[in-house]
Amino acid sequence: MSIVSVNPATGKTIKVFNSLSQVSIQTKISIAEKAFLSFRITSFSERSTYLYKAGAILENEKESIGTLMTLEMGKTFESAKEEVLKCAWVCRYYAENAERFLTDEVVVTNASRSFIRCQPLGIILAIMPWNFPFWQVFRFAAPALMAGNVALLKHASTVPQCALRIEEIFRAAGFPEGVFQTLLLGSDSVQAVIEDPRIRAITLTGSEPAGSDVAARAGKLIKKTVLELGGSDPFIVMSSAHLEDAAAAAVRARIINNGQSCIAAKRFIVHESVAGNFTRLLIRGMELLKIGDPMLKETELGPLASDDLLQQLNDQVQKSVAMGARILTGGKKLERPGNYYLPTILTNIPENSPAYREELFGPVALLFVVKDSESAIRLANDSPFGLGSSVWTNDLHEQQCFIDRLEAGLVFVNGMVASDPRLPFGGVKRSGYGRELGTYGIKEFVNLKTVWIK
């Protein structure tokens, strides 16, 4: 099977790679197993030196790395450079804090001494998506490697050059051979890797079906998994909100990464008293977006990552319209080379339509009007997903109500949802389980060993 890198802005093939053979896969796993035996006993100081260096490489090479991401998956060059710098941040954060996060936790018992010690698990398989091809990997790898684990990366088949570049960065930073390796292989070869007894845990960021499949296979083998899956994040605007700020943030939150983000705002739930004004601001903001070549600095919205994604999004929109949804703006593909879709707003969305029940991965905003906070909460929670949520209100009682009752892993008040190395990231319901980042993220792939001494 060939792995093909295609420029989504032009549809032209950039480079073709051959998938690894089964023999090569087994060799890489053996190298990782050997590397773990020595890497697990290195000091935090030594690991942090490597990770600081990785962060420095990212910062120094942000232009070339950003260009690679833009050419391979279509994100704007400006956002690609921001992604690189965020990866450098997560490297520094764990280089500085990992030892403190994983220090022995003393617990007073009837023993003369008892404590909890965090120890690495071994080889962790990371199955990562194309939409944030560097950030998704580094937010896993930085804590996992600082904890003493080693990693195998099965990246999305559409971003092979990004996958190989990440491995090069870890090697250039000084990490020993085998501590971080990329596996260029198709999804049909993943099962054998998951089932290999040397693989101790799996982390996956991706679609709900992919996560369900991996969790089932890993669960049968009693292997730890962390899943970060889809989202249909609500963006709730109440009567006390500052409408211009909320509307400006709404546009940014919907089109982040060309609309292809699990934590992008997708369902805009607006109080009826401000719905008219907010809708006008939202339409205006979406229609003023500069669409074009993602390498150009002025471009705000680039192409979707593949033609398949473009067709799927358009099908979801058209089926929803056929069922009664109304288009306020956009609603079609652009007549130009590349995978471009007009910024779109749908309203009057039927409950049984794709737009209501499915995740729309592209620049399509879904607009709902509600009469009060109770209705807003009910609608926000009427989703199989529960990743992020954004609430815009200056009423303190409303703020607490939303914080307590929204079924989501993240609640942002008067701000758009974003990941931050200092805070745990993850969802509930069909958005997955487990956490990345913060103190909780680094403890997902360790053995919390209880030690009791008489």
mmCIF file of all heavy atoms in Angstrom, residues 99-109 113-118 443 448-452:
data_model
loop_
_atom_site.group_PDB
_atom_site.id
_atom_site.type_symbol
_atom_site.label_atom_id
_atom_site.label_comp_id
_atom_site.label_asym_id
_atom_site.label_seq_id
_atom_site.Cartn_x
_atom_site.Cartn_y
_atom_site.Cartn_z
ATOM 1 N N GLU A 99 9.173 16.299 36.628
ATOM 2 C CA GLU A 99 9.719 15.699 37.843
ATOM 3 C C GLU A 99 8.846 16.028 39.052
ATOM 4 O O GLU A 99 8.584 15.158 39.897
ATOM 5 C CB GLU A 99 11.159 16.168 38.079
ATOM 6 C CG GLU A 99 11.804 15.517 39.291
ATOM 7 C CD GLU A 99 13.283 15.852 39.439
ATOM 8 O OE1 GLU A 99 13.767 16.748 38.705
ATOM 9 O OE2 GLU A 99 13.950 15.227 40.280
ATOM 10 N N ARG A 100 8.369 17.249 39.132
ATOM 11 C CA ARG A 100 7.494 17.642 40.245
ATOM 12 C C ARG A 100 6.157 16.902 40.177
ATOM 13 O O ARG A 100 5.633 16.453 41.192
ATOM 14 C CB ARG A 100 7.265 19.159 40.203
ATOM 15 C CG ARG A 100 6.301 19.684 41.245
ATOM 16 C CD ARG A 100 6.337 21.203 41.294
ATOM 17 N NE ARG A 100 5.999 21.811 40.029
ATOM 18 C CZ ARG A 100 4.747 22.080 39.632
ATOM 19 N NH1 ARG A 100 3.728 21.771 40.425
ATOM 20 N NH2 ARG A 100 4.513 22.664 38.476
ATOM 21 N N PHE A 101 5.613 16.758 38.966
ATOM 22 C CA PHE A 101 4.335 16.063 38.821
ATOM 23 C C PHE A 101 4.422 14.589 39.228
ATOM 24 O O PHE A 101 3.454 14.018 39.726
ATOM 25 C CB PHE A 101 3.849 16.126 37.368
ATOM 26 C CG PHE A 101 3.440 17.503 36.902
ATOM 27 C CD1 PHE A 101 3.368 17.800 35.552
ATOM 28 C CD2 PHE A 101 3.118 18.502 37.805
ATOM 29 C CE1 PHE A 101 2.990 19.052 35.109
ATOM 30 C CE2 PHE A 101 2.743 19.772 37.374
ATOM 31 C CZ PHE A 101 2.682 20.043 36.024
ATOM 32 N N LEU A 102 5.586 13.987 39.001
ATOM 33 C CA LEU A 102 5.722 12.550 39.210
ATOM 34 C C LEU A 102 6.513 12.184 40.457
ATOM 35 O O LEU A 102 6.872 11.023 40.650
ATOM 36 C CB LEU A 102 6.378 11.906 37.981
ATOM 37 C CG LEU A 102 5.600 12.055 36.665
ATOM 38 C CD1 LEU A 102 6.354 11.396 35.522
ATOM 39 C CD2 LEU A 102 4.195 11.476 36.769
ATOM 40 N N THR A 103 6.786 13.155 41.294
ATOM 41 C CA THR A 103 7.523 12.856 42.521
ATOM 42 C C THR A 103 6.703 11.943 43.426
ATOM 43 O O THR A 103 5.469 11.919 43.351
ATOM 44 C CB THR A 103 7.877 14.165 43.268
ATOM 45 O OG1 THR A 103 8.818 13.879 44.298
ATOM 46 C CG2 THR A 103 6.641 14.805 43.877
ATOM 47 N N ASP A 104 7.369 11.171 44.269
ATOM 48 C CA ASP A 104 6.659 10.264 45.168
ATOM 49 C C ASP A 104 5.651 11.031 46.025
ATOM 50 O O ASP A 104 5.967 12.091 46.582
ATOM 51 C CB ASP A 104 7.646 9.556 46.105
ATOM 52 C CG ASP A 104 8.517 8.549 45.378
ATOM 53 O OD1 ASP A 104 8.234 8.257 44.193
ATOM 54 O OD2 ASP A 104 9.482 8.049 45.996
ATOM 55 N N GLU A 105 4.444 10.484 46.112
ATOM 56 C CA GLU A 105 3.395 11.094 46.932
ATOM 57 C C GLU A 105 3.287 10.323 48.242
ATOM 58 O O GLU A 105 2.865 9.166 48.271
ATOM 59 C CB GLU A 105 2.062 11.055 46.186
ATOM 60 C CG GLU A 105 0.915 11.658 46.966
ATOM 61 C CD GLU A 105 -0.422 11.526 46.249
ATOM 62 O OE1 GLU A 105 -0.420 11.220 45.034
ATOM 63 O OE2 GLU A 105 -1.467 11.709 46.926
ATOM 64 N N VAL A 106 3.697 10.966 49.324
ATOM 65 C CA VAL A 106 3.676 10.319 50.632
ATOM 66 C C VAL A 106 2.248 10.256 51.165
ATOM 67 O O VAL A 106 1.504 11.238 51.112
ATOM 68 C CB VAL A 106 4.581 11.073 51.634
ATOM 69 C CG1 VAL A 106 4.469 10.463 53.024
ATOM 70 C CG2 VAL A 106 6.026 11.068 51.149
ATOM 71 N N VAL A 107 1.863 9.072 51.664
ATOM 72 C CA VAL A 107 0.538 8.871 52.251
ATOM 73 C C VAL A 107 0.730 8.288 53.661
ATOM 74 O O VAL A 107 1.436 7.282 53.818
ATOM 75 C CB VAL A 107 -0.314 7.910 51.402
ATOM 76 C CG1 VAL A 107 -1.681 7.712 52.036
ATOM 77 C CG2 VAL A 107 -0.449 8.432 49.975
ATOM 78 N N VAL A 108 0.141 8.914 54.644
ATOM 79 C CA VAL A 108 0.291 8.448 56.022
ATOM 80 C C VAL A 108 -0.648 7.266 56.254
ATOM 81 O O VAL A 108 -1.870 7.374 56.079
ATOM 82 C CB VAL A 108 -0.003 9.577 57.021
ATOM 83 C CG1 VAL A 108 0.081 9.052 58.450
ATOM 84 C CG2 VAL A 108 0.975 10.737 56.809
ATOM 85 N N THR A 109 -0.077 6.112 56.643
ATOM 86 C CA THR A 109 -0.848 4.907 56.969
ATOM 87 C C THR A 109 -0.270 4.306 58.252
ATOM 88 O O THR A 109 0.539 4.938 58.937
ATOM 89 C CB THR A 109 -0.756 3.868 55.829
ATOM 90 O OG1 THR A 109 0.591 3.374 55.751
ATOM 91 C CG2 THR A 109 -1.167 4.473 54.495
ATOM 92 N N ARG A 113 6.448 3.767 56.555
ATOM 93 C CA ARG A 113 6.538 4.661 55.399
ATOM 94 C C ARG A 113 5.679 4.074 54.289
ATOM 95 O O ARG A 113 5.746 2.881 53.993
ATOM 96 C CB ARG A 113 7.986 4.790 54.919
ATOM 97 C CG ARG A 113 8.170 5.821 53.803
ATOM 98 C CD ARG A 113 9.622 5.932 53.408
ATOM 99 N NE ARG A 113 9.796 6.851 52.298
ATOM 100 C CZ ARG A 113 10.626 6.664 51.283
ATOM 101 N NH1 ARG A 113 11.394 5.577 51.249
ATOM 102 N NH2 ARG A 113 10.723 7.547 50.322
ATOM 103 N N SER A 114 4.856 4.900 53.679
ATOM 104 C CA SER A 114 4.062 4.469 52.528
ATOM 105 C C SER A 114 3.933 5.630 51.562
ATOM 106 O O SER A 114 3.814 6.790 51.965
ATOM 107 C CB SER A 114 2.689 3.955 52.969
ATOM 108 O OG SER A 114 2.044 4.877 53.815
ATOM 109 N N PHE A 115 3.984 5.308 50.284
ATOM 110 C CA PHE A 115 3.929 6.349 49.268
ATOM 111 C C PHE A 115 3.498 5.760 47.933
ATOM 112 O O PHE A 115 3.430 4.532 47.761
ATOM 113 C CB PHE A 115 5.289 7.051 49.130
ATOM 114 C CG PHE A 115 6.434 6.137 48.769
ATOM 115 C CD1 PHE A 115 6.776 5.906 47.444
ATOM 116 C CD2 PHE A 115 7.185 5.516 49.768
ATOM 117 C CE1 PHE A 115 7.835 5.071 47.106
ATOM 118 C CE2 PHE A 115 8.246 4.672 49.446
ATOM 119 C CZ PHE A 115 8.574 4.455 48.105
ATOM 120 N N ILE A 116 3.199 6.652 46.978
ATOM 121 C CA ILE A 116 2.818 6.264 45.620
ATOM 122 C C ILE A 116 3.935 6.693 44.683
ATOM 123 O O ILE A 116 4.343 7.863 44.685
ATOM 124 C CB ILE A 116 1.499 6.930 45.196
ATOM 125 C CG1 ILE A 116 0.385 6.556 46.171
ATOM 126 C CG2 ILE A 116 1.120 6.536 43.770
ATOM 127 C CD1 ILE A 116 -0.840 7.435 46.058
ATOM 128 N N ARG A 117 4.434 5.769 43.903
ATOM 129 C CA ARG A 117 5.508 6.060 42.953
ATOM 130 C C ARG A 117 4.993 5.890 41.528
ATOM 131 O O ARG A 117 4.330 4.895 41.214
ATOM 132 C CB ARG A 117 6.711 5.161 43.190
ATOM 133 C CG ARG A 117 7.834 5.334 42.165
ATOM 134 C CD ARG A 117 9.140 4.791 42.681
ATOM 135 N NE ARG A 117 9.631 5.603 43.799
ATOM 136 C CZ ARG A 117 10.713 5.309 44.525
ATOM 137 N NH1 ARG A 117 11.400 4.193 44.251
ATOM 138 N NH2 ARG A 117 11.095 6.090 45.517
ATOM 139 N N CYS A 118 5.289 6.855 40.668
ATOM 140 C CA CYS A 118 4.875 6.806 39.263
ATOM 141 C C CYS A 118 6.011 6.233 38.425
ATOM 142 O O CYS A 118 7.117 6.796 38.406
ATOM 143 C CB CYS A 118 4.516 8.196 38.760
ATOM 144 S SG CYS A 118 3.122 8.952 39.608
ATOM 145 N N LYS A 443 0.021 11.453 33.953
ATOM 146 C CA LYS A 443 -0.199 10.267 34.776
ATOM 147 C C LYS A 443 -1.062 9.204 34.087
ATOM 148 O O LYS A 443 -1.319 8.157 34.667
ATOM 149 C CB LYS A 443 -0.818 10.674 36.112
ATOM 150 C CG LYS A 443 0.154 11.463 36.988
ATOM 151 C CD LYS A 443 -0.450 11.846 38.322
ATOM 152 C CE LYS A 443 0.564 12.615 39.162
ATOM 153 N NZ LYS A 443 0.005 13.052 40.458
ATOM 154 N N LEU A 448 0.836 3.691 38.745
ATOM 155 C CA LEU A 448 0.752 4.330 40.066
ATOM 156 C C LEU A 448 0.985 3.247 41.109
ATOM 157 O O LEU A 448 0.060 2.587 41.588
ATOM 158 C CB LEU A 448 -0.613 4.990 40.248
ATOM 159 C CG LEU A 448 -0.930 6.168 39.323
ATOM 160 C CD1 LEU A 448 -2.390 6.562 39.453
ATOM 161 C CD2 LEU A 448 -0.034 7.346 39.627
ATOM 162 N N LYS A 449 2.229 3.060 41.443
ATOM 163 C CA LYS A 449 2.634 1.937 42.292
ATOM 164 C C LYS A 449 2.548 2.307 43.773
ATOM 165 O O LYS A 449 3.183 3.267 44.231
ATOM 166 C CB LYS A 449 4.055 1.512 41.952
ATOM 167 C CG LYS A 449 4.578 0.333 42.778
ATOM 168 C CD LYS A 449 6.003 -0.024 42.388
ATOM 169 C CE LYS A 449 6.038 -0.741 41.065
ATOM 170 N NZ LYS A 449 7.436 -1.200 40.749
ATOM 171 N N THR A 450 1.762 1.545 44.503
ATOM 172 C CA THR A 450 1.679 1.728 45.952
ATOM 173 C C THR A 450 2.857 1.011 46.629
ATOM 174 O O THR A 450 3.112 -0.158 46.348
ATOM 175 C CB THR A 450 0.355 1.157 46.482
ATOM 176 O OG1 THR A 450 -0.729 1.954 45.985
ATOM 177 C CG2 THR A 450 0.330 1.151 48.012
ATOM 178 N N VAL A 451 3.545 1.738 47.484
ATOM 179 C CA VAL A 451 4.687 1.172 48.234
ATOM 180 C C VAL A 451 4.382 1.282 49.725
ATOM 181 O O VAL A 451 4.081 2.362 50.223
ATOM 182 C CB VAL A 451 5.992 1.918 47.888
ATOM 183 C CG1 VAL A 451 7.152 1.327 48.678
ATOM 184 C CG2 VAL A 451 6.274 1.859 46.389
ATOM 185 N N TRP A 452 4.459 0.157 50.442
ATOM 186 C CA TRP A 452 4.166 0.103 51.869
ATOM 187 C C TRP A 452 5.349 -0.558 52.573
ATOM 188 O O TRP A 452 5.757 -1.671 52.223
ATOM 189 C CB TRP A 452 2.903 -0.727 52.091
ATOM 190 C CG TRP A 452 2.318 -0.717 53.479
ATOM 191 C CD1 TRP A 452 1.291 0.055 53.925
ATOM 192 C CD2 TRP A 452 2.674 -1.565 54.572
ATOM 193 N NE1 TRP A 452 0.990 -0.237 55.241
ATOM 194 C CE2 TRP A 452 1.838 -1.237 55.658
ATOM 195 C CE3 TRP A 452 3.651 -2.554 54.751
ATOM 196 C CZ2 TRP A 452 1.938 -1.861 56.890
ATOM 197 C CZ3 TRP A 452 3.743 -3.187 55.988
ATOM 198 C CH2 TRP A 452 2.894 -2.848 57.043
#
